[in-house]
Each structure stands twice: as structure tokens, then as C-alpha cells.
Amino acid sequence: RAKLGVLVSGGGSNLQALLDACARADFPAEVALVVSNVPTAFALQRARDAGVEARVLDHKGFGARADFERALGDLLVDAGVEWVCLAGFMRLLGADFLGRFAGRVLNIHPSLLPAFPGLHAQRQALDKGVKVAGCTVHFVDAGMDTGPIIAQAAVPVLSGDDEAALSARILKEEHRLYPLVVKLAVTGGVRLEGGRVVSPLGPAVGDSS
Ligand code: GAR
């Protein structure tokens, strides 16, 4: 089973979806380590409740971003992590870190990228008045939610939606999509080749429908 390192900053519902998937005997991955840059993140409790090692690495304790990222990479490598999953991890990662896990860092974002990167994606979508929203799982590059897209799931924006209602509708899809893509990625069903996503098993792989 592929060893995942999951990086979190908050509530960790996507972490929970990955933990639940990994609890199934036929799932091809396990969570080896959870790291939060926020000491109070509820995600840490979720990891411990699942019997998974959880560590805090507070970026505020580091002078330079590169030092934080080196320590983060060391923690993951020492735990035998092969794939890194960002799950509500609210920090950018630089080229040095990404180079240590080349083609093996995934992120989930609550919009249909490239629309609405960054913070408060759901509010951005409501402010623009879009009628379709959703989530995206992509390979991570050094930009903000800019990496090559692997899969997306769409949800309607309904009249009367506020940020909480839309976020909840999207989150439900996040919890479905992320484990699906992790499974595909660790089994070679999708991979990053020359900066592009390729699906050796055929074009339907990664479809969210
Ligand atoms: C999720 O909606 C995730 O897509 C988003 O943060 C939330 C974390 O929730 N990530 C980003 O916005 C990344 N740019 P969770 O902690 O309950 O998984």
C-alpha cells in the first residue's frame, strides 16, 4: 500500500475522507503521517482517533520559508511517505520541497479551477454569480492552485445559496473525489509527464461522472 502524508491546516474533513478510504482493505494506500502547520487544527484529532501519527510543524517557528519546508520534507521522508496530499493546507510550497516528491503532490481545491484560486473560493464564486461550482484535484506546482488538473466534480449554485450552503455542497463532492483520485494516482492510473496529466489506462480515467 502506498504511504500517504497528509498536510492540513484546519478541520480536516478531507483528511477524514482519506482516512475512511484507507480503512477499507482494498484501498491501495494508507496514511503514514499527518502534519499540520496550525497547532489547534481539529484535523490532528481526527488523525489520532484513526491511530495515525500526527505532528505539528508551525511555520511561525521558522525564520525562512525554505527552512520550514526542509523540516516538513524531512518529517515526511522519515515517515516513509511516498505521496503528499494537501487537504486544506493553507501554505504555498516551493520548488525545493516539490522536487523531493516530484509528480507525487496532490491538492484539492473548492472551485472549478482555473476559476477562483486562493482563499474563499466559494465566496468568490457566489460574488461572480456563477451557476455551476465544484472542486478540483490537481498536481501541485509552486503557484497558488495552478497545477495540472486531474479531475473535477461540478455542483449547481442554487438561488438563495450562502457561502455555508455552497461550501457544504462542494465539500460532499470533495470527499468523494479526493479518495478516487488518490487511488488512481497511486496505482498509476494518472501520472504527471512533462507537466501534463496522462492517463495510461484510457481517457475515461479520472472522469468524475
Ligand atoms: C476544503 O474545502 C479544501 O478544498 C479547501 O479548504 C477546505 C478544507 O476543509 N482548500 C483550499 O481552499 C486550498 N486552496 P477540510 O479541512 O475540512 O478538509
Side-chain angles (χ1 to χ4, degrees), residues 14 88 90 107-128 130-139 144-157 163 166-175 177-178 181 208:
N14 278 289
M90 295 307 192
N107 181 44
I108 187 151
H109 181 76
S111 77
L112 295 174
L113 290 171
F116 314 129
L119 291 176
H120 308 301
Q122 305 93 332
R123 192 190 307 162
Q124 295 183 55
L126 287 171
D127 288 348
K128 280 291 179 195
V130 297
K131 302 301 174 198
V132 179
C135 58
T136 302
V137 181
H138 63 92
F139 286 108
M144 176 135 51
D145 304 314
T146 49
I149 291 169
I150 302 170
Q152 296 182 308
V155 302
V157 180
E163 197 179 342
L166 179 59
S167 297
R169 196 175 304 121
I170 295 172
L171 207 50
K172 207 164 160 237
E173 291 302 306
E174 294 187 45
H175 299 161
L177 192 64
Y178 211 0
V181 173
S208 57

Side-chain angles (χ1 to χ4, degrees), residues 62-116:
F62 293 83
R65 193 176 93 165
D67 296 332
F68 167 70
E69 293 187 9
R70 192 172 314 110
L72 180 61
D74 289 348
L75 272 183
L76 295 164
V77 168
D78 288 349
V81 164
E82 299 159 294
W83 287 82
V84 180
C85 301
L86 312 190
F89 181 69
M90 295 307 192
R91 309 283 308 165
L92 290 177
L93 292 167
D96 286 349
F97 178 92
L98 295 172
R100 293 175 79 174
F101 300 95
R104 287 177 290 122
V105 186
L106 305 173
N107 181 44
I108 187 151
H109 181 76
S111 77
L112 295 174
L113 290 171
F116 314 129

